[in-house]
Amino acid sequence: MRELLITLPDDFHVHLRQGPALAAYSRRSAEHFGRVLVMPNVVPPLSSARAMDDYRRSAEAHLAASGSGTRMLPTFKLVPGMGAEAVRACALAGAVAGKYYPAGSTTNAADGVPDPDSVQGELAAMEAAGVVLSVHAEDPGAPVLEREEAFLPVLDRIVNSYPGLKVVMEHLSTAAAVDAVRSWPARVGATITAHHLAFTLDDILGERLQPGFFCKPVLKAERDRTALVEAAISGSPKFFFGSDSAPHPPEAKRSGAAGCYSSPVAMPLLAGLFDQAGALGALEAFCAVNGARFYGLAANSGKLRLWEEAWTVPAELDGVEPLAAGRVLAWRAGRVP
Ligand code: DOR
Ligand code: ZN
C-alpha cells in the first residue's frame, strides 16, 4: 500500500453555511484542512465588520469544538453602497479577503456587484488595506458555458486599474481562464476545485442527469479539465486549492441549487488525480504551500496522511449527498493526530 504524508492542507474557498448545519460542515472541513477561507454568501450577507465578526465567532466555536485546531479565515461580501469605511472596518476586524459576486451569478448573489465601477471606492480601500479581492468570475448575462470567458475582460480591467490589489480568480473552469491567470502579474492567483479537476459536463449530462455535479461555474469540456490539471500539477505558485464545497440539503438540490458538497472527498479525489498524472509529488505545493504563500501565511504545522485504499463514497453525509456519491475512490485521507 502506498502512502503519503504531506503538510496539512488549507481550503481557500469553502461555504460553511449558517444555522444548525454550520456545526457539521465545520467539523467535516476540520478533518482535512488546517485553515478554511469561508465564503460570505449567507443571509443576510457578511457586508459589515459586525456581521463578519458575529459569523466568525459562531464558525470558530464549531471549529474549536472539533478539537482540530483548524482556523477560520474570514471574508466579507462586497455589495454596492457598502462604502470604503466599512471595508476598512472589515480589514481591521481581520478580513483576509472580500468576495466579489457579479450580481445574479450564483447562490445568494442577487445583491452582488453589477459592474466594477459601482465598487470603485471599496476596491481602492481593499488595495490600500492589503485585503485580497476574491472573485466569482462569471458574467451571468452570457450563455452558461461562456460565462467565465466572458468575464475575463472585466477581471483584466480590475487587475489593471488597481495595481496594488491582490486578486484570486476563484474556481477556474476553463482553459481560457488558466491562460489568463498565467498572463497576469504574480499578485493574481487562482483556486481550482477537486470537481473541476476530476469531472466534466458529461458527468452531469452524459447519461442520467446527475445534479450532484451541478455547480457554478458549470463543469466544462475535457480540454478544459486537462488544462486545469496541468495548472494544478505545474507547481506554479499562482494555482492553489479551494474546494468550493457548497452543500445544499436534498430539497434545495431537487429545486435546482448549484453546489457540490466536496470537502469530505476533495483530498482523496486530488490524491487519485495527481497519482494518475504521475504527479503525487506536486500535491503538497498545490494544496498546502502555494495558497498559504499567496495569502502571506506560514504553512500549517500539522500533517495529512493519504493512503491507497479503495472505498465507496457514501450516498449521504451530514444530511447531504456528497460529491461523487456512489463512486469508488482509490485513496483515503486522514489527519495525523
Ligand atoms: O456552485 C456554487 N455554489 N457556486 C457558487 O459560486 C456558490 C455556491 C453556493 O453558495 O451554493
Ligand atoms: Zn463558492
Side-chain angles (χ1 to χ4, degrees):
M1 179 189 69
R2 290 180 302 156
E3 72 166 50
L4 196 67
L5 208 58
I6 62 170
T7 300
L8 190 63
D10 294 309
D11 184 349
F12 279 105
H13 182 139
V14 64
H15 300 265
L16 295 184
R17 308 303 193 199
Q18 62 200 124
L22 178 62
Y25 303 154
S26 303
R27 253 199 320 275
R28 190 65 69 181
S29 275
E31 289 180 357
H32 293 166
F33 301 102
R35 284 170 299 219
V36 284
L37 187 94
V38 184
M39 289 294 131
N41 62 334
V42 293
V43 181
L46 308 183
S47 297
S48 69
R50 175 73 188 273
M52 193 188 76
D53 224 39
D54 287 349
Y55 182 68
R56 174 192 202 160
R57 256 192 292 278
S58 43
E60 277 178 343
H62 293 302
L63 290 170
S66 74
S68 62
T70 293
R71 277 186 37 222
M72 176 185 180
L73 304 173
T75 68
F76 62 87
K77 182 173 166 189
L78 265 178
V79 292
M82 179 180 175
E85 198 44 56
V87 168
R88 283 189 282 273
C90 286
L92 277 174
V96 168
K99 182 73 186 274
Y100 180 128
Y101 288 101
S105 57
T106 187
T107 308
N108 299 338
D111 59 352
V113 182
D115 182 272
D117 291 343
S118 64
V119 288
Q120 271 175 359
E122 288 83 353
L123 292 176
M126 290 174 71
E127 181 183 32
V131 174
V132 170
L133 177 70
S134 153
V135 187
H136 182 110
E138 286 195 292
D139 174 353
V144 67
L145 296 177
E146 296 162 31
R147 286 180 188 170
E148 187 172 84
E149 202 162 344
F151 197 78
L152 292 174
V154 182
L155 200 47
D156 189 62
R157 194 145 60 84
I158 295 173
V159 167
N160 291 315
S161 304
Y162 304 90
L165 186 63
K166 282 171 110 174
V167 180
V168 176
M169 183 171 179
E170 300 290 347
H171 39 54
L172 298 195
S173 71
T174 57
V178 170
D179 290 343
V181 171
R182 284 208 174 100
S183 76
W184 284 318
R187 65 188 164 84
V188 184
T191 56
I192 310 180
T193 75
H195 42 291
H196 290 96
L197 286 170
F199 304 113
T200 65
L201 192 52
D202 277 75
D203 290 286
I204 314 176
L205 299 179
E207 287 179 51
R208 290 171 66 82
L209 179 66
Q210 299 288 329
F213 293 101
F214 174 54
C215 64
K216 299 285 180 71
V218 170
L219 302 176
K220 302 294 190 314
E222 180 58 22
R223 67 173 287 273
D224 296 299
R225 193 191 70 83
T226 307
L228 295 170
V229 171
E230 276 169 14
I233 68 174
S234 69
S236 160
K238 282 178 159 271
F239 300 105
F240 48 91
F241 177 65
S243 71
D244 197 14
S245 187
H248 290 281
E251 60 280 11
K253 262 321 229 186
R254 270 196 298 277
S255 67
C260 306
Y261 188 30
S262 60
S263 49
V265 298
M267 289 313 304
L269 261 179
L270 287 177
L273 273 162
F274 276 62
D275 186 24
Q276 270 170 17
L280 267 180
L283 181 61
E284 186 173 53
F286 177 65
C287 61
V289 177
N290 296 347
R293 275 208 192 123
F294 186 90
Y295 275 95
L297 303 166
N300 290 310
S301 54
K303 296 274 180 205
L304 187 77
R305 180 173 163 256
L306 297 139
W307 68 99
E308 207 172 14
E309 180 190 339
W311 64 292
T312 304
V313 179
E316 183 256 300
L317 281 174
D318 309 318
V320 174
E321 180 188 318
L323 175 70
R327 301 240 184 160
V328 177
L329 303 188
W331 287 77
R332 305 198 75 135
R335 235 170 133 142
V336 178

